[in-house]
Amino acid sequence: MTQDQDERSPLLSRSEDEHPEVLDFEKDDPENPKNWTFFRKYLNVAIIALMAILSPLASSMFTPGINQIAEDLKTTPPAVVGATTGFVVSLGLGPMLLAPLSEEFGRRRLYLASFSIFTLLQIPTALSPNVETLVAIRTLSGFFGSVGIANGGGTISDMFDPSERAGVFGWYLLGPLLGPALGPLFGGFIVQDLGWRWIFWIVTIICAVNTILAFLFLKESRASVILEARKEKMERSQGGTFRSAQQDDRSVRTKMLSSIQRPFRILFTQPMVFTMATYQAVIYGTTYTLYTNFEDIYGKGYGFDSNRVGLMYLGPGLGFVIAVWFLVPRIDTIFNHLTKLNHGESKPEFRLPIANIGAVLFPLSLFWFAWTVEFHVHWSASIVSMVFFGLSQVTIFNSVQNYYIDSFQQYAASAIAAGATFRSIVGGLLPLAAPPLFGKLGYGWGVSVFAFAGVALAPAPLLFFLYGEKLRKRYAIEL
């Protein structure tokens, strides 16, 4: 063996014949994302978390100004709500393309390209001369803004081991959940003091700062892409032929088709994913339905101005923070404990016990909210119910997303995208059906409809904890 081969040997495994030498990560390889420093990992998480909070923030930020926008653009409030619908639906459709593409071609380039476009699209949104332009541009920007939601789970899976992942994922997922709650709070002050167009100018500035940070500091975390770059570098510098351990020799066209089909295959062939995606869709749809009606509930019902209506969104926001701080870390604790009891063998189902807390709190908090609003009980009673509503969302979403990651591993982003698409489409469309529903039934029975849906789906986490392994084996697919 030559001296050059000796120097390369820790990184290579070589067959006895003359096949290309195979490049893979060694045990303590500093280029392996799982071996990165604490600071390096959390810098990546911070940048993508900010992306993941800004797009949902933009989805709801202008809801306190719906009436002002309608008056300025000479249209009706329901037409303006269509801008939210288009944005949220696109926010769900985007991951079906962006997530699988990141699995084939790398996370970083998808983040940079998509979020740059999202940032630029805020400019024509702010300049919209009519509601048709507003809806069209918002719909398009939702697609590109979904990149943080589409690839965040996959990026975290790239960098963190299963035993420590849930806690990190909890703080990341706080962004997509907290964004729709904080958006109306900030939007209320901006609309009242500066006008609705300034919402999008401010979003443009913040997104531009985050995009610059991403270009400077965001690092590629997809192992196959890192190894492919290493292979090309060694072939240029040392000559010879090398092969990445995760190399895919299929044509670009074949890989593209396979990537695009993957989330749909996961969604429609896996009963666990379809059921839990339905569950998340009900939660997401309920959230946007309530958020788009807070102006009516607290503005007309309780006589609040836009600023005070915005403050009402802090109820679910407080629930999010409490859950992430106290309950989400227990997902890892329970997972590690059950793994130890199972002789060191982990199962994705070990992520689900905490979801049962949310399964109980979700319908209870909605019944509470529905009837305190219906009977015009003091506003604080309904806001306290929203704290528990927020808490239920976080426990269910975090448990389910970690379940997807453990079940589908290297294709976690596609699994998460499948669920995200379904929930976002429902979340975008339900607010359009809410006005006639509430008009006919009132807020008491109208919101209770969503609560009854929560009751019907509440057994899902427990059933999948008990029988999920059998279902995974029965419906196993080759991705």
Side-chain angles (χ1 to χ4, degrees):
M1 183 177 290
T2 67
Q3 182 179 355
D4 285 345
Q5 288 172 327
D6 286 339
E7 290 174 350
R8 291 197 306 265
S9 58
L11 304 177
L12 307 175
S13 57
R14 180 180 175 91
S15 58
E16 294 180 1
D17 55 20
E18 292 303 316
H19 289 164
E21 296 175 305
V22 180
L23 290 170
D24 201 353
F25 293 127
E26 60 182 339
K27 182 179 179 181
D28 297 316
D29 196 321
E31 291 189 14
N32 183 347
K34 286 187 168 60
N35 294 332
W36 287 352
T37 64
F38 176 92
F39 177 79
R40 177 67 263 171
K41 289 181 181 181
Y42 278 88
L43 183 59
N44 258 29
V45 171
I47 293 171
I48 63 172
L50 192 53
M51 290 183 183
I53 195 174
L54 285 173
S55 49
L57 188 80
S59 73
S60 64
M61 203 169 180
F62 79 124
T63 52
I66 286 176
N67 292 330
Q68 186 186 109
I69 296 171
E71 183 179 350
D72 187 38
L73 299 182
K74 297 178 175 57
T75 186
T76 62
V80 179
V81 172
T84 296
T85 297
F87 187 97
V88 175
V89 170
S90 291
L91 203 63
L93 293 175
M96 297 296 273
L97 180 63
L98 300 178
L101 288 180
S102 78
E103 290 168 344
E104 297 295 342
F105 305 107
R107 315 283 193 203
R108 186 177 187 273
R109 62 188 67 176
L110 264 296
Y111 282 127
L112 297 181
S114 298
F115 209 73
S116 295
I117 296 172
F118 174 74
T119 301
L120 292 173
L121 285 172
Q122 302 313 304
I123 299 173
T125 305
L127 298 172
S128 296
N130 50 56
V131 72
E132 291 82 8
T133 302
L134 179 68
V135 171
I137 298 176
R138 290 272 294 168
T139 301
L140 185 61
S141 65
F143 177 88
F144 292 102
S146 69
V147 68
I149 298 170
N151 297 324
T155 303
I156 290 171
S157 180
D158 293 339
M159 298 186 293
F160 294 92
D161 291 321
S163 61
E164 60 180 348
R165 184 191 305 132
V168 178
F169 194 78
W171 287 106
Y172 154 78
L173 194 59
L174 187 61
L177 293 174
L178 202 56
L182 291 179
L185 171 62
F186 298 141
F189 289 102
I190 296 170
V191 167
Q192 186 158 307
D193 296 337
L194 299 173
W196 70 270
R197 294 184 187 275
W198 266 99
I199 290 174
F200 299 104
W201 291 123
I202 291 172
V203 170
T204 302
I205 294 168
I206 298 171
C207 289
V209 171
N210 194 42
T211 302
I212 293 169
L213 290 174
F215 271 96
L216 293 175
F217 301 113
L218 188 65
K219 195 171 181 180
E220 178 60 58
S221 64
R222 182 70 173 168
S224 59
V225 175
I226 296 171
L227 289 171
E228 181 64 24
R230 177 181 287 184
K231 177 182 83 76
E232 293 174 358
K233 181 179 179 180
M234 293 187 70
E235 287 178 343
R236 288 194 303 268
S237 63
Q238 301 182 17
T241 303
F242 300 90
R243 181 179 179 82
S244 163
Q246 301 184 28
Q247 186 168 324
D248 187 345
D249 292 324
R250 295 176 299 170
S251 67
V252 173
R253 180 177 179 275
T254 301
K255 287 193 286 187
M256 287 279 290
L257 289 174
S258 176
S259 298
I260 294 169
Q261 292 171 5
R262 190 180 301 127
F264 293 97
R265 292 179 61 205
I266 291 173
L267 179 62
F268 294 112
T269 65
Q270 302 298 295
M272 304 85 72
V273 174
F274 186 80
T275 302
M276 298 311 289
T278 302
Y279 201 171
Q280 290 180 299
V282 169
I283 295 171
Y284 214 61
T286 303
T287 301
Y288 274 94
T289 298
L290 293 180
Y291 286 178
T292 53
N293 283 276
F294 268 21
E295 181 75 26
D296 184 70
I297 292 171
Y298 293 107
K300 295 181 180 178
Y302 288 89
F304 290 0
D305 60 24
S306 294
N307 288 348
R308 292 185 70 190
V309 171
L311 290 172
M312 296 301 102
Y313 294 88
L314 289 178
L318 179 60
F320 297 153
V321 174
I322 292 172
V324 169
W325 192 271
F326 294 105
L327 291 178
V328 170
R330 304 287 80 78
I331 296 176
D332 278 338
T333 303
I334 294 172
F335 175 83
N336 294 332
H337 178 68
L338 292 176
T339 298
K340 184 178 179 180
L341 292 179
N342 197 42
H343 309 292
E345 182 182 350
S346 64
K347 296 179 182 179
E349 288 73 27
F350 294 166
R351 299 289 187 184
L352 296 176
I354 289 291
N356 292 288
I357 297 175
V360 173
L361 290 178
F362 176 68
L364 285 180
S365 64
L366 288 178
F367 284 127
W368 180 352
F369 179 84
W371 296 104
T372 53
V373 168
E374 179 71 17
F375 291 113
H376 210 71
V377 178
H378 191 272
W379 60 266
S380 61
S382 61
I383 291 304
V384 172
S385 75
M386 287 290 95
V387 174
F388 291 99
F389 177 71
L391 195 150
S392 71
Q393 288 187 63
V394 172
T395 53
I396 293 171
F397 273 54
N398 269 275
S399 298
V400 171
Q401 304 289 64
N402 277 281
Y403 177 77
Y404 289 162
I405 292 172
D406 288 350
S407 296
F408 297 96
Q409 297 178 13
Q410 71 182 104
Y411 298 119
S414 288
I416 293 172
T421 295
F422 199 53
R423 75 169 187 252
S424 293
I425 291 174
V426 173
L429 295 177
L430 272 184
L432 296 179
L437 175 69
F438 294 150
K440 185 176 182 179
L441 300 179
Y443 285 112
W445 286 112
V447 176
S448 292
V449 169
F450 298 95
F452 284 122
V455 171
L457 289 164
L462 178 60
L463 291 175
F464 286 129
F465 176 76
L466 296 174
Y467 305 110
E469 183 178 11
K470 292 180 181 178
L471 288 171
R472 282 189 294 109
K473 291 178 179 178
R474 180 175 179 181
Y475 293 96
I477 57 172
E478 181 66 40
L479 298 173

